[in-house]
Amino acid sequence: MSTAAPPRPDDAPDDVPGDVLVVRDLVRRYGDLTAVDGVSFFIAPGETYGLLGPNGAGKTTTISMVAGLLAADSGTVTVAGRRMGPGEVGVKAHIGLVPQDLAIYPELTARENLTFFGKLEGLRGAALTRRVDEVLDLVALSDRARDATKEFSGGMKRRLNIGIGLIHQPTLLILDEPTVGVDPQSRNAILESVEALSGEGMAVLYTTHYMEEAERLCDRIAIVDSGRIQAEGTRGELITLTGGVDTIRLGGSGDTARAATALRALAPVVDVHAERRALTLTVHDAPTAVAVVVTTATTAGMALDDVEITRPDLESVFLHLTGKALRD
Ligand SMILES: Nc1ncnc2c1ncn2[C@@H]1O[C@H](COP(=O)(O)OP(=O)(O)OP(=O)(O)O)[C@@H](O)[C@H]1O
């Protein structure tokens, strides 16, 4: 299905000194399955980088290797200039990992949980209290700080889980599908927290299978499938891979055949598909072209009752690159 060449294949990333994370040629096999198959990317300070792909694409396996929880079969991970390797405690101190599974104590309050994990990270006294307050604020749980977390909603527990990952002020925050199964209010709070952290200069590695989240949060996005980065870039760069054409659907009655002929002659129009009561056009830059399209169709004798513009999104990019839908 894929026709366009990906802008950045899995060869060496064009990282620069000062990048928070540099991943080169990571490979991880489980028996015959290559779960991660030569993944390379980098993240600059203040950048949010997304791994967008369906379940089983290899996202969790990749971040487990980045966080030093899982050994790679080959490839390297460098965080804040230091190579991840066995026993590399110094490197791990730069990383805040927020796993999919919750790691909180239900009998403790939110504040007690954060204090406990803060102590594990070596924080004490006033610095610890100050950091716990900051984190409670960041994940929007200040007003529930004294409540036992067993009473929290799933979304609030997720937010606390993120707070725990942040307690030691990591340079790199890794979030593994942090909004799966949470209520819309918590989801929004999570997305706002990530935006705030990024605004403060934190580098974020964000995995998701939600296109909308990748589009909203990520400066650059890697489209991941079958253990490989199929394409990488900004949202705009990725969308050009689909050919960059939009769709305008004209619904109505009248002389659709004559309208189709007139529309085909317009410069922005790539193709016209005619049905009895509708025309579907592929066009360049639909928002600009729509006025002349409507005028031309009307002048040719079509009475319009509906005009709909569809622009390609990351879902279209994924489909274009892999031949599959992002969500089954
Ligand atoms: N411990 C393991 N043993 C065997 N196979 C595994 C193991 N962990 C992951 N896999 C396989 O590796 C592939 C990638 O899994 P991974 O969890 O990294 O994907 P993912 O993109 O994070 O998806 P999900 O969001 O569902 O976790 C899948 O085919 C999965 O079944």
Side-chain angles (χ1 to χ4, degrees):
M1 181 77 184
S2 172
T3 49
R8 278 186 212 267
D10 296 342
D11 50 15
D14 43 2
D15 58 282
V16 295
D19 280 339
V20 174
L21 174 68
V22 181
V23 172
R24 285 188 197 273
D25 290 323
L26 274 190
V27 173
R28 172 73 197 201
R29 295 183 196 87
Y30 293 112
D32 290 341
L33 174 77
T34 307
V36 173
D37 190 7
V39 161
S40 302
F41 61 93
F42 66 94
I43 308 182
E47 193 174 35
T48 300
Y49 186 88
L51 297 177
L52 175 68
N55 290 338
K59 306 182 297 295
T60 301
T61 307
T62 299
I63 62 171
S64 299
M65 290 187 281
V66 170
L69 297 179
L70 183 71
D73 287 323
S74 58
T76 60
V77 172
T78 308
V79 182
R82 294 176 67 172
R83 181 75 68 84
M84 177 68 75
E88 255 299 4
V89 182
V91 182
K92 288 188 182 171
H94 287 284
I95 300 174
L97 174 66
V98 183
Q100 277 180 30
D101 299 328
L102 295 171
I104 59 181
Y105 290 100
E107 300 297 332
L108 300 184
T109 67
R111 177 177 291 283
E112 287 165 346
N113 264 288
L114 288 169
T115 303
F116 173 79
F117 285 101
K119 281 183 181 164
L120 285 187
E121 295 290 345
L123 291 167
R124 295 286 183 276
L128 175 59
T129 310
R130 197 168 49 243
R131 184 63 190 155
V132 168
D133 284 337
E134 275 172 12
V135 168
L136 284 167
D137 190 41
L138 252 169
V139 296
L141 284 175
S142 300
D143 57 340
R144 300 298 300 270
R146 292 168 196 278
D147 295 341
T149 54
K150 65 183 173 195
E151 294 160 14
F152 280 12
S153 70
M156 290 163 68
K157 288 178 185 161
R158 276 293 167 92
R159 276 144 63 190
L160 183 60
N161 216 33
I162 294 174
I164 290 167
L166 285 169
I167 196 77
H168 59 301
Q169 289 189 289
T171 321
L172 170 68
L173 181 67
I174 304 175
L175 296 150
D176 194 7
E177 307 234 21
T179 64
V180 168
V182 307
D183 56 281
Q185 194 188 343
S186 279
R187 178 171 182 264
N188 202 42
I190 290 170
L191 300 183
E192 282 178 1
S193 302
V194 175
E195 285 168 333
L197 290 163
S198 170
E200 288 171 10
M202 187 174 285
V204 179
L205 174 56
Y206 192 97
T207 86
T208 185
H209 62 274
Y210 295 125
M211 172 194 83
E212 304 81 359
E213 293 183 7
E215 291 197 337
R216 172 169 162 183
L217 295 178
C218 300
D219 300 299
R220 285 182 301 127
I221 300 157
I223 303 241
V224 189
D225 189 47
S226 306
R228 298 186 69 86
I229 294 182
Q230 307 290 337
E232 183 205 67
T234 62
R235 178 187 183 278
E237 286 166 351
L238 289 170
I239 283 182
T240 58
L241 297 180
T242 62
V245 287
D246 304 332
T247 304
I248 300 177
R249 190 176 180 284
L250 304 175
S253 55
D255 198 342
T256 48
R258 189 156 165 255
T261 305
L263 288 165
R264 279 192 188 99
L266 296 177
V269 174
V270 179
D271 193 22
V272 181
H273 175 72
E275 296 161 62
R276 200 171 61 82
R277 284 189 53 85
L279 297 178
T280 304
L281 291 71
T282 41
V283 299
H284 292 291
D285 193 7
T288 306
V290 68
V292 67
V293 162
V294 166
T295 309
T296 305
T298 311
T299 307
M302 205 174 157
L304 298 179
D305 53 32
D306 187 40
V307 178
E308 188 185 323
I309 293 178
T310 311
R311 311 207 77 186
D313 54 19
L314 292 178
E315 183 82 51
S316 335
V317 177
F318 190 83
L319 184 67
H320 178 79
L321 290 172
T322 68
K324 295 184 294 194
L326 195 48
R327 272 173 271 182
D328 300 326

